């Protein structure tokens, strides 16, 4: 776990669990979500649901997530990477 | 992999929809009889999805002005506003819009879509932030994609959600442009503008409103939601279109900011587009005069809107939250919606069918829009058609 100036940074595992928790009701699928799960191909999230996903992430982590990051996000692992970057910037 | 392979899902959806309603992809208006009546497939159809709010497309004075302009100045300008495409009519229309809105500067664009896209893409640059309502029009989203600003959405018409996001952005100490619409094009609801303007002032942000569907429809003099909400002074940029209440094509942005005119030299969508043809400018100028001098058109439109909204509500249909010249009827699934849309067309009524993902919350919608040119009997006829379809499809709404 990386220490920032304020709250301690969340670990990859903690971020993953929180993301899965947010994705659950949006994806509405029984299949197991892993870091390699593709948001569109595996979870069938359409553009509206992906936008809703970002809003939920913003509120869960109390950060700003520009929709510009979407071009760099395909899998859950990509989400974790972008989230770590944004949390570090916000710290 | 072929270049069109990525459209396979679209092709499948289209094929499935064609089973329920093949006409949807083949609506060709063979003859325009009046602002509200057309011929489709040889049959007379009443338009209840036309955005022709004041019914000015056949106004004799607008037609006369357009015809005269063609005779004097030709069919097109063949050039950009920054080259050979600025005629005296373009400048006059900009001055008349500035005077109407009580603002120093106006820039006109060749379409409303370009106006929205250009303003959003140009105003907010690298390091700036655009905070837009989630239900904003595609032209605003496309402007966001073209620009270099960070783009953050807030939940539709949710003032607390907007404040939460403004609060988070405070420490970035950057320019924040809030973007909302006067009347939202799908559900017909309006932004809580007085509250949004208060937040804009509190957080030192800029506010842009797209009055495409509210120009000529809201406010004492028809200026739109900013006028109705009494917050003209807090709105930095008003964008609008000529293709609805003004019955032509084109768009504009008006502002009091002294540097606003610089947008002309910074906006690629302004610089690299041919300017509107003289006839369009002439009919728009006349339509603006009529909008200002004939408030009875707006009153007539609202009488129709209230009547139809109440009739559809009495049928138990699921509607947009408030009466408006745009009335959205929510349906359960796209396939049944297509059947109902076809049923309405068979009864001689054309409405818009809007399917996900172009709709808020992924709902399938039938969208009516009313016109001052409708007669009361025509509005009743639209209501009768929905009653008939409700009886035929009792559980599909």
């Amino acid at each position: 776990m990386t220490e920032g100036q304020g709250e301690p940074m969340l670990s990859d595992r903690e971020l993953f669990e929180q993301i899965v928790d947010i994705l659950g009701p949006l994806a509405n699928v029984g299949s197991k979500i892993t870091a390699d799960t593709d948001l569109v191909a595996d979870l069938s999230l359409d553009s509206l649901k992906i936008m809703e996903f970002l809003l939920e992430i913003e509120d869960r982590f109390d950060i700003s997530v520009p929709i510009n990051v979407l071009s760099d996000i395909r899998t859950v692992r990509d989400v974790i990477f972008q989230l770590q970057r944004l949390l570090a910037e916000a710290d | 992999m072929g270049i069109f392979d990525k459209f396979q899902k679209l092709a499948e959806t289209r094929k499935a929809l064609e089973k329920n309603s093949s006409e949807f992809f083949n609506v060709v208006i063979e003859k325009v009889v009046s602002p509200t009546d057309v011929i489709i497939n040889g049959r007379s159809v009443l338009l209840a999805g036309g955005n022709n709010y004041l019914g000015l497309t056949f106004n004799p004075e607008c037609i006369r002005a357009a015809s005269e302009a063609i005779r004097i100045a030709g069919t097109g300008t063949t050039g950009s506003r920054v080259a050979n495409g600025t005629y005296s009519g373009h400048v006059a229309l900009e001055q008349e819009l500035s005077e109407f809105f009580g603002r120093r500067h106006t820039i006109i664009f060749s379409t409303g879509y370009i106006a929205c896209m250009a303003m959003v893409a140009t105003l907010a640059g690298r390091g700036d932030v655009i905070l837009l309502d989630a239900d904003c029009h595609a032209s605003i989203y496309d402007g966001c994609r073209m620009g270099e600003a960070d783009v953050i959405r807030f939940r539709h018409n949710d003032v607390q959600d907007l404040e939460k996001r403004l609060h988070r952005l405070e420490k970035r100490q950057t320019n924040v442009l809030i973007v909302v619409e006067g009347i939202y094009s799908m559900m017909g609801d309006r932004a809580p503008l007085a509250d949004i303007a208060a937040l804009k002032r509190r957080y030192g942000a800029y506010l842009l409103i797209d009055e495409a569907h509210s120009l000529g429809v809201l406010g004492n003099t028809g200026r739109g939601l900013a006028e109705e909400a009494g917050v003209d002074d807090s709105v930095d940029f008003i964008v609008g279109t000529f293709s609805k209440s003004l019955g032509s094509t084109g768009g504009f942005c008006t502002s009091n900011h002294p540097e606003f005119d610089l947008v002309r030299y910074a906006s690629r969508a302004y610089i690299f587009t041919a300017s509107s043809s003289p006839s369009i400018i002439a009919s728009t100028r006349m339509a603006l005069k009529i909008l200002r001098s004939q408030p009875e058109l707006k009153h007539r439109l609202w009488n129709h809107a209230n009547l139809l909204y109440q009739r559809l509500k009495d049928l138990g249909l699921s509607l947009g939250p408030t009466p408006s010249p745009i009335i959205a009827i929510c349906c359960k699934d796209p396939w049944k919606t297509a059947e109902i849309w076809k049923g309405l067309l068979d009864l001689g009524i054309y409405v818009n069918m809007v399917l996900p993902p172009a709709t808020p919350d992924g709902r399938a919608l039938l969208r009516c829009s009313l016109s001052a040119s409708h007669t009361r009997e025509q509005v009743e006829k639209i209501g009768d058609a929905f009653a008939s379809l409700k009886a035929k499809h009792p559980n599909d709404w």
Side-chain angles (χ1 to χ4, degrees):
Chain A
M1 190 179 288
T2 313
E3 292 289 336
Q5 289 180 334
E7 294 292 313
M9 290 285 281
L10 293 167
S11 68
D12 285 2
R13 168 55 52 185
E14 286 167 323
L15 285 176
F16 174 76
E17 284 169 0
Q18 299 232 29
I19 288 165
V20 170
D21 192 46
I22 295 169
L23 278 173
L26 289 169
N28 199 21
V29 290
S31 58
K32 189 170 164 32
I33 296 174
T34 70
D36 293 319
T37 297
D38 187 301
L39 300 183
V40 176
D42 298 329
L43 300 181
S44 302
L45 294 188
D46 62 22
S47 54
L48 286 176
K49 283 192 173 160
I50 288 187
M51 293 289 192
E52 183 61 29
F53 175 52
L54 288 196
L55 286 172
E56 293 291 337
I57 287 179
E58 285 189 299
D59 290 343
R60 177 74 65 100
F61 296 97
D62 194 25
I63 56 166
S64 298
V65 182
I67 62 176
N68 316 51
V69 302
L70 284 175
S71 56
D72 296 320
I73 288 178
R74 196 172 59 81
T75 65
V76 171
R77 191 189 310 282
D78 298 332
V79 178
I80 293 171
F81 178 77
Q82 291 297 330
L83 203 42
Q84 282 171 328
R85 185 179 65 79
L86 290 165
L87 285 166
E89 279 176 16
D91 192 31
Chain B
M1 185 171 165
I3 200 164
F4 291 103
D5 286 0
K6 57 177 141 331
F7 305 132
Q8 196 50 43
K9 200 172 174 192
L10 285 177
E12 287 163 14
T13 306
R14 175 180 167 140
K15 198 172 172 187
L17 274 172
E18 275 178 331
K19 277 187 192 164
N20 295 39
S21 168
S22 59
E23 286 94 337
F24 180 67
F25 299 100
N26 297 297
V27 172
V28 176
I29 293 176
E30 291 150 5
K31 188 178 175 193
V32 185
V33 180
S34 75
T36 55
D37 299 279
V38 296
I39 305 292
I40 297 174
N41 289 335
R43 288 192 9 236
S44 182
V45 172
L46 175 60
L47 287 177
N51 305 313
N52 195 358
Y53 299 124
L54 301 184
L56 295 181
T57 49
F58 275 77
N59 180 278
E61 291 174 86
C62 292
I63 291 174
R64 197 176 307 119
S67 305
E68 183 67 0
I70 283 189
R71 199 182 59 75
I72 293 171
T75 54
T77 67
T78 69
S80 157
R81 286 294 305 278
V82 297
N84 58 303
T86 293
Y87 290 11
S88 59
H90 296 93
V91 177
L93 177 55
E94 287 177 339
Q95 286 168 347
E96 286 156 10
L97 284 164
S98 293
E99 198 258 321
F100 176 52
F101 282 97
R103 288 169 187 252
R104 286 184 206 158
H105 306 284
T106 299
I107 300 175
I108 57 175
F109 296 85
S110 299
T111 69
Y113 180 96
I114 292 176
C116 270
M117 186 185 70
M119 290 313 304
V120 170
T122 310
L123 283 170
R126 190 185 296 266
D128 297 334
V129 176
I130 296 169
L131 255 177
L132 78 162
D133 184 287
D135 283 5
C136 274
H137 189 258
S139 57
I140 294 168
Y141 275 92
D142 290 352
C144 289
R145 287 172 71 170
M146 284 179 67
E148 294 184 279
D150 280 354
V151 181
I152 294 171
R153 296 159 82 238
F154 63 94
R155 290 180 171 85
H156 175 56
N157 276 355
D158 188 333
V159 176
Q160 285 181 331
D161 202 66
L162 171 61
E163 175 156 32
K164 200 158 53 179
R165 282 160 174 76
L166 281 165
H167 183 68
R168 283 182 195 133
L169 290 167
E170 257 188 320
K171 57 183 169 187
R172 279 179 68 164
Q173 294 186 320
T174 187
N175 296 315
V176 175
L177 177 68
I178 301 168
V179 183
V180 298
E181 296 184 17
I183 291 180
Y184 284 89
S185 60
M186 290 296 118
M187 299 302 289
D189 52 340
R190 54 190 89 164
L193 197 64
D195 293 337
I196 290 172
L199 283 182
K200 171 258 171 177
R201 293 190 297 270
R202 190 178 314 153
Y203 286 89
Y206 293 88
L207 177 57
L208 181 151
I209 181 167
D210 175 13
E211 301 267 24
H213 291 271
S214 35
L215 172 66
V217 172
L218 297 179
N220 265 345
T221 65
R223 290 203 303 269
L225 182 62
E227 181 186 23
E228 183 189 74
V231 293
D232 266 325
D233 291 346
S234 296
V235 177
D236 299 273
F237 309 101
I238 292 178
V239 181
T241 182
F242 306 151
S243 62
K244 296 175 171 59
S245 284
L246 296 175
S248 63
T249 55
F252 68 91
C253 182
T254 187
S255 174
N256 262 333
H257 285 277
E259 307 96 333
F260 182 69
D261 224 36
L262 293 171
V263 169
R264 292 185 199 273
Y265 315 106
S267 167
R268 295 169 63 82
Y270 177 82
I271 296 167
F272 296 103
T273 314
S275 62
S276 296
S277 65
S279 58
I280 286 174
I281 297 297
S283 75
T284 304
R285 291 179 65 193
M286 185 56 74
L288 182 61
K289 272 187 194 164
I290 293 167
L291 182 158
R292 301 180 73 172
S293 62
Q294 297 184 27
E296 62 272 20
L297 293 174
K298 186 182 66 176
H299 300 143
R300 191 176 159 82
L301 172 69
W302 274 100
N303 285 339
H304 292 340
N306 288 323
L307 171 65
L308 185 62
Y309 189 88
Q310 193 57 48
R311 278 213 60 186
L312 300 182
K313 195 176 171 192
D314 291 344
L315 289 172
L317 300 178
S318 171
L319 306 179
T322 52
S324 149
I326 297 169
I327 302 176
I329 301 103
C330 305
C331 299
K332 281 188 177 161
D333 80 84
W335 320 115
K336 289 291 178 188
T337 308
E339 274 184 40
I340 296 168
W341 178 87
K342 167 74 166 56
L344 288 166
L345 193 61
D346 288 344
L347 292 173
I349 307 292
Y350 173 84
V351 302
N352 305 121
M353 178 168 75
V354 196
L355 302 178
T359 53
D361 301 333
R363 288 172 283 195
L365 298 179
L366 295 170
R367 175 186 177 278
C368 294
S369 62
L370 291 159
S371 170
S373 282
H374 281 125
T375 63
R376 187 184 169 91
E377 291 70 31
Q378 286 176 321
V379 179
E380 295 284 10
K381 187 180 169 188
I382 298 165
D384 291 345
F386 272 96
S388 170
L389 267 298
K390 178 68 166 54
K392 200 172 170 187
H393 297 265
N395 302 315
D396 295 331
W397 311 76

